[in-house]
Amino acid sequence: MSLRIGIVGLPNVGKSTLFNALVCARQAEAASYPFCTIEPNEAVVGVPDPRVERLAAIVKPKKITHTAVDFVDIAGLVRGASKGEGLGNQFLGHVRETDALLHVVRCFHDEDVAHVMGEVEPARDIEIVEAELLLRDLQTVEKRVEKVRRQAQADKAVREELSVLEDLKSHLDAGTPAGDFGDSRSGASAALLSELNLLTAKKTIYCANVDEGGLAGTGAWVTAVRDYAARRDAEAVVICAEIEEELAGLDEAERREFLASYGTDESGLDRVIKTGYRVLDRVTFFTTNENEVRAWCLPRGRKAPQAAGLVHTDFERGFVRAQVIPCEEFVRRGGEAGCRAAGVMRVEGKDYVVQDGDVVLFLHSP
């Protein structure tokens, strides 16, 4: 169960440069003119997690597999996109199926890279993009209202749905994102929002894209992005997409040296991925055997049978029990045999909630 994150923003904010860094190759053309990205780009990026390597050093499997994040990059959105301006609106459907949005905001000055609004102003730029996302959601809800209204006369359940939809339409009409919509009458609104998959109901990570001189994150533009994110109760990260693209071409030793020169041991992209995990409240568990050490992504709070279902659907149907070892104990004791001898392997049943870092062996019936 990988995460899917959609990359949105105005044209010329560095989205394609960031995407190039994500895929460690120049698969997305980066240029200094608007609408350089015409077709949506997609990439699957492994999530950096040193625990995988530590487990593999003990198990010595034939291969290791990190959990992954799918990134989807679309053409930049401009004011009026919901009415057909620009190109980004054509591809919003590609980010509708994502779990979260990474909103890239330009926080750098470059005379050679045109800004579609003439000058950098982060709060305004964010509001332009979010207004277009909201208008797209409003169009989606209006179409659903028209459809449901025709069916409402003869079906009470449909009439209840129509009532929720009309409230949601009024909510969006007022300029308020779908994520703030609540319905105290029933759980109908939550179910409907899940079904509609509205863009403004998604968690958003605001990404302040700075130049090399802005990495400290103390400038006024970055502060504006952070303040905006705080008002939205959202996360903000600072990144220099051009530096990340340089990092993508280095081997591991060179990467460490390069990052150390900036006083850090973590790239901006690593922070983006970790922030995505935190925002979406995911945990990672591991399975190990001689063939593969593998990391798995699971929503926090899920129980052992559901985790087993990620490994194989038959495992969930025939779940019997799980043998669980915390990752740090697995490493400390030198593997499964050492954990058994030390009595740190636990046997858990179907009500066990999987924790971040669990190494799990699922036992199941045929």
Side-chain angles (χ1 to χ4, degrees), residues 34-324:
F35 312 127
C36 170
T37 302
I38 304 300
E39 296 296 329
N41 296 291
E42 298 192 30
V44 180
V45 182
V47 175
D49 190 334
R51 295 175 296 183
V52 178
E53 281 73 23
R54 289 200 291 268
L55 292 170
I58 295 169
V59 178
K60 296 180 172 52
K62 295 177 182 177
K63 69 174 182 176
I64 64 174
T65 304
H66 287 259
T67 189
V69 176
D70 296 354
F71 284 93
V72 181
D73 175 36
I74 65 169
L77 295 166
V78 296
R79 182 173 284 158
S82 60
K83 298 179 181 178
E85 294 293 330
L87 298 170
N89 190 52
Q90 300 175 30
F91 305 112
L92 280 175
H94 292 268
V95 295
R96 188 175 296 285
E97 300 305 318
T98 60
D99 301 296
L101 300 179
L102 181 68
H103 188 157
V104 181
V105 186
R106 180 167 169 171
C107 293
F108 64 88
H109 175 74
D110 188 335
E111 292 182 356
D112 295 327
V113 180
H115 190 293
V116 293
M117 298 302 294
E119 59 182 356
V120 177
E121 191 177 319
R124 176 210 58 201
D125 295 350
I126 293 171
E127 289 170 353
I128 289 172
V129 171
E130 294 197 336
E132 296 306 321
L133 297 178
L134 190 144
L135 288 169
R136 180 61 179 262
D137 282 348
L138 186 57
Q139 292 171 357
T140 299
V141 173
E142 287 173 339
K143 289 180 182 178
R144 182 65 171 261
V145 167
E146 292 174 8
K147 176 182 176 181
V148 170
R149 186 172 283 145
R150 292 193 295 268
Q151 305 169 347
Q153 294 292 336
D155 191 324
K156 180 180 178 181
V158 175
R159 288 197 297 273
E160 291 176 355
E161 178 183 340
L162 178 61
S163 176
V164 174
L165 282 167
E166 288 175 336
D167 287 348
L168 177 56
K169 179 178 178 299
S170 297
H171 178 88
L172 295 171
D173 268 328
T176 314
D180 295 337
F181 181 67
D183 179 10
S184 59
R185 296 170 298 182
S186 68
S189 62
L192 186 59
L193 283 174
S194 178
E195 180 184 348
L196 291 171
N197 214 359
L198 298 176
L199 295 165
T200 61
K202 297 182 185 300
K203 297 286 188 181
T204 299
I205 303 165
Y206 295 93
C207 180
N209 184 22
V210 301
D211 57 20
E212 186 175 336
L215 274 175
T218 56
W221 288 339
V222 172
T223 298
V225 173
R226 285 177 169 153
D227 288 347
Y228 194 99
R231 291 194 297 273
R232 286 279 192 260
D233 193 25
E235 297 264 2
V237 295
V238 178
I239 195 169
C240 177
E242 288 190 347
I243 287 179
E244 297 300 323
E245 195 172 27
E246 288 183 47
L247 276 170
L250 304 179
D251 62 31
E252 188 58 35
E254 291 171 330
R255 279 172 58 86
R256 286 197 296 268
E257 183 178 351
F258 189 94
L259 289 170
S261 71
Y262 286 95
T264 182
D265 59 358
E266 182 178 51
S267 74
L269 294 179
D270 289 350
R271 290 194 297 275
V272 167
I273 292 170
K274 289 179 180 179
T275 301
Y277 256 64
R278 185 168 62 251
V279 164
L280 293 169
D281 206 15
R282 288 330 198 242
V283 300
T284 301
F285 71 92
F286 307 95
T287 54
T288 64
N289 57 49
E290 60 188 22
N291 291 317
E292 182 181 33
V293 167
R294 180 162 182 168
W296 303 84
C297 173
L298 185 72
R300 189 181 302 278
R302 297 292 173 86
K303 295 181 178 180
Q306 295 168 300
L310 290 182
V311 180
H312 198 289
T313 53
D314 289 346
F315 290 7
E316 182 172 7
R317 287 195 296 266
F319 179 86
V320 175
R321 61 185 180 275
Q323 295 176 338
V324 180

